[in-house]
């Protein structure tokens, strides 16, 4: 189809704001510390600054033993796959110029975080958890690319056309940016699938997460969730699912698309706070 081919060509020529080839360093097992450190300047100030903020958050990847000041430490902390994927996501976010584009990106990010949490709760191995998290980050990215193409090329695309073909564009983006091939089984949006006797396929884990996100956005225009929240001194909780989501949405620049409704404290929790001189806020 000519229109789809034109979109693919647009993706091939897309300017991320930095030379995409610099990310190949992250795929090089023999990359030196100097080569990794050099990415900081090559990625540009916006992408690098957000990656540093994300790496310094205790909620992303492994907990940091101290403030991260070197880009090599960012890569070591987040992992090469997460660093590469997040850099691309941030670059695309910087090009989002409409509410529609931002909501697509927010749904992708929310699905990624839910998939990560769900994979953890299902006790999936680390490699599968990472695959689910990264695949979910690009679960609707084809829509974002089609909207960019439509706006920048002044070409009208119908909602039906976008809905029908964005999974194919998802796959094109994974291939274009050299992301892991195993992400294709997720971003192509296959039918809900079980493997072996009754295990959920990774694509099914992501679909469950995406369904929750899609329903919330359809009703509220953002992700709305309810969660306990940390108290000032961490008497009850120093970190919760709600605070994790809130911090991550802010760090990626999508805080406007999340609402966390605090759980009411139980009588026992309230008494414990009062014992430590705190009152429920």
């Amino acid at each position: 189809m000519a229109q789809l081919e034109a979109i693919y060509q647009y993706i091939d020529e897309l300017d991320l704001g930095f030379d995409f080839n610099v990310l190949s360093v992250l795929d090089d097992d023999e990359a030196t510390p100097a080569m990794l450190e050099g990415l900081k300047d090559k990625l540009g100030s916006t992408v690098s600054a957000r990656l540093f903020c994300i790496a310094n958050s205790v909620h992303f990847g492994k907990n940091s033993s101290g403030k991260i000041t070197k880009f090599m430490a960012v890569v070591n902390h987040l992992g090469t796959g997460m660093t590469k994927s997040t850099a691309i996501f941030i670059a695309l976010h910087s090009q989002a110029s409409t509410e529609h584009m931002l909501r697509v990106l927010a749904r992708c990010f929310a699905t990624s975080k839910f998939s990560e949490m769900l994979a953890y709760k299902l006790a999936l191995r680390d490699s599968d958890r990472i695959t689910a998290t990264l695949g979910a980050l690009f679960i609707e990215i084809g829509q974002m690319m089609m909207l960019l193409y439509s706006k920048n090329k002044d070409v009208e695309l119908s909602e039906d056309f976008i809905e029908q073909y964005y999974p194919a564009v998802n796959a094109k983006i994974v291939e274009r940016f050299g992301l892991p091939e195993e992400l294709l089984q997720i971003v192509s949006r296959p039918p809900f699938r079980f493997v072996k006797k009754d295990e959920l396929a990774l694509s099914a884990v992501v679909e469950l997460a995406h369904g929750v996100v899609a329903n919330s956005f359809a009703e509220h225009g953002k992700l709305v969730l309810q969660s306990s929240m940390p108290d000032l001194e961490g008497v009850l909780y120093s970190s919760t699912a709600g605070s994790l989501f809130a911090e991550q949405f802010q760090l990626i620049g999508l805080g406007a698309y999340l609402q966390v409704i605090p759980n009411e404290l139980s009588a026992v929790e309230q008494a414990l706070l009062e014992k430590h001189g705190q009152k429920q806020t």
Side-chain angles (χ1 to χ4, degrees), residues 95-136:
Q95 298 190 34
S97 58
T98 68
E99 179 72 12
H100 194 172
M101 293 180 190
L102 287 169
R103 285 191 181 184
V104 169
L105 291 175
R107 288 198 300 268
C108 288
F109 189 72
T111 302
S112 180
K113 295 301 102 186
F114 267 127
S115 296
E116 182 179 27
M117 183 174 290
L118 186 55
Y120 176 77
K121 292 297 184 180
L122 291 171
L124 300 184
R125 59 187 181 182
D126 286 347
S127 60
D128 286 343
R129 176 180 54 80
I130 292 170
T131 297
T133 302
L134 297 185

Side-chain angles (χ1 to χ4, degrees), residues 69-200:
T69 58
K70 299 290 186 180
F71 197 80
M72 184 180 70
V74 170
V75 176
N76 289 337
H77 186 69
L78 297 179
T80 56
M82 183 63 74
T83 301
K84 183 176 183 179
S85 298
T86 305
I88 294 169
F89 189 86
I90 294 169
L92 291 175
H93 177 269
S94 69
Q95 298 190 34
S97 58
T98 68
E99 179 72 12
H100 194 172
M101 293 180 190
L102 287 169
R103 285 191 181 184
V104 169
L105 291 175
R107 288 198 300 268
C108 288
F109 189 72
T111 302
S112 180
K113 295 301 102 186
F114 267 127
S115 296
E116 182 179 27
M117 183 174 290
L118 186 55
Y120 176 77
K121 292 297 184 180
L122 291 171
L124 300 184
R125 59 187 181 182
D126 286 347
S127 60
D128 286 343
R129 176 180 54 80
I130 292 170
T131 297
T133 302
L134 297 185
L137 190 62
F138 294 93
I139 195 66
E140 290 188 41
I141 208 69
Q143 290 194 44
M144 168 65 181
M145 200 63 67
M146 295 168 91
L147 293 171
L148 273 178
Y149 167 82
S150 177
K151 183 176 186 298
N152 294 337
K153 297 296 185 180
D154 195 23
V155 175
E156 185 175 350
L157 298 177
S158 70
E159 291 185 8
D160 288 343
F161 180 85
I162 293 175
E163 184 66 26
Q164 180 177 357
Y165 290 107
Y166 86 81
V169 181
N170 286 348
K172 170 65 178 178
I173 293 167
V174 167
E175 294 169 351
R176 166 68 178 87
F177 294 135
L179 298 172
E181 288 186 4
E182 53 265 32
L183 301 191
L184 293 173
Q185 64 179 303
I186 296 173
V187 302
S188 60
R189 305 297 304 276
F192 195 91
R193 187 164 70 93
F194 292 94
V195 294
K196 298 182 179 178
K197 181 181 179 181
D198 56 4
E199 295 179 14
L200 291 174

